[in-house]
Amino acid sequence: MPPEESSTATDDPAAALSARLVDSLQQSIREAGGFLPFVEYMDRALYAPGLGYYVNGAHKLGAGGDFVTAPEISPLFGETLAAWLAPVLAEDLDGEGMILEFGGGTGRLAGDVLATLRELEVPWSGYRILEVSPDLRERQREHLREVLPAEEFARVAWLDALPQEPWRGVVLANEVLDALPVELFCWRDGDAAQVGVTEDAQGGLSLAERAAPEPLRSAVRDLHARCGPWPEGYTSEWRPALAPWLAAVAERLERGVVVAVDYGFPRDAYYAAERHQGTLVGYHRQQMVLDPLTRPGLMDLTASVDFTAVAEAADAAGLEVAVYAAQGEFLLAAGLPARFDARVGDATDAEATLRTAQAVRMLTLPGEMGERFQVMALTRDCPSLPRAAIPDRRGRL
Ligand SMILES: C[S@@+](CC[C@H](N)C(=O)[O-])C[C@H]1O[C@@H](n2cnc3c(N)ncnc32)[C@H](O)[C@@H]1O
């Protein structure tokens, strides 16, 4: 596909899709009196039926896609996670736990987790994937049909919504919370301003500000009281959908653990005065794009996760914050080195060994994904979760 810059909406289906999304956004801006809060723009740019980034069929993951995630880098990620969770499935959930994965990507994490549970002979009752993207669902289905024994594949199913009945099990969300839409705010004249999208004189989209309405204003003033002072014009994000997401997940989870892995920080670090431009970015073909209004519908939009907010939401939902660690130290303590040894121990293929070692470096080194990505495990009645060896960063939340 030629780059969008050199194509027009008429000869490039992707550009045409984006143009339709922009039309519909402009109409919404007019209907809303000239200003669409950024949180609504992000929601539409990612999820507008048929047009948003996650639902329009754009190629997102892996080679040629927009981003590469930990399960794509190495199966050791999913293997380590599964082996660490095995005691919960085997003991706390008596081999009858269900696994619910949010946003399954290409299906690799599911394949690696289930291969490891098979190897460890840990039973599970079902694997569910709650996926908003129709094309990624198809990729997950194809991948899992290929790698799983038929009997296991028959126990995988895709969901449109959370289970309605009470259930027990394990929730996995790797790089999903960062996609939940954010309010963009600005600290202006000692108070909170809401950033939104308007139509510019050329008929395009541009960012604008207005006085923040509630509940954004209170949220930003609280953040400022805790993390300020901030310089004039300080810009950052607040994610209103986070607490409702966790409350909904926790509501029917009778017993089990929710594992969220994502790039993020404790609140003090997220909203430090030095981070005055926030964390919101776009990704297009593995390039970071700073202007969030670039290529609506064709670019992923993402912002870091405030893990203090996740912990507060967990507390409100009656879950215990059992583990909070940086991804690198978590993987190393949760058994990745032994899994690495097992994988390359008697390998004669030096190139494959080198590739695996490089992947481990990428997953664990502080300058790669090791520090920027964090792991949080939230439990309800799971004494078997192995936590003693995991470095404990909960004090930083
Ligand atoms: C960055 S990818 C991560 C994929 C996979 N977890 C991995 O680590 O490779 C984000 C995934 O979440 C899905 N997704 C995005 N927003 C979602 C939402 N609100 N609910 C459930 N899934 C979502 C995407 O379609 C995609 O599968």
Side-chain angles (χ1 to χ4, degrees), residues 47 54 67 69 71 103-105 130-133 136 174-176 179-180:
Y47 305 114
Y54 278 114
F67 44 83
T69 60
L130 206 159
E131 174 59 71
V132 290
S133 163
L136 285 178
N174 186 56
E175 281 202 50
V176 179
L180 296 180

Side-chain angles (χ1 to χ4, degrees), residues 140-160:
Q140 291 155 16
R141 206 186 302 275
E142 274 170 37
H143 175 70
L144 293 175
R145 189 183 284 121
E146 200 176 300
V147 300
L148 296 182
E151 177 277 325
E152 282 185 13
F153 181 67
R155 289 192 285 141
V156 180
W158 281 261
L159 303 181
D160 294 318

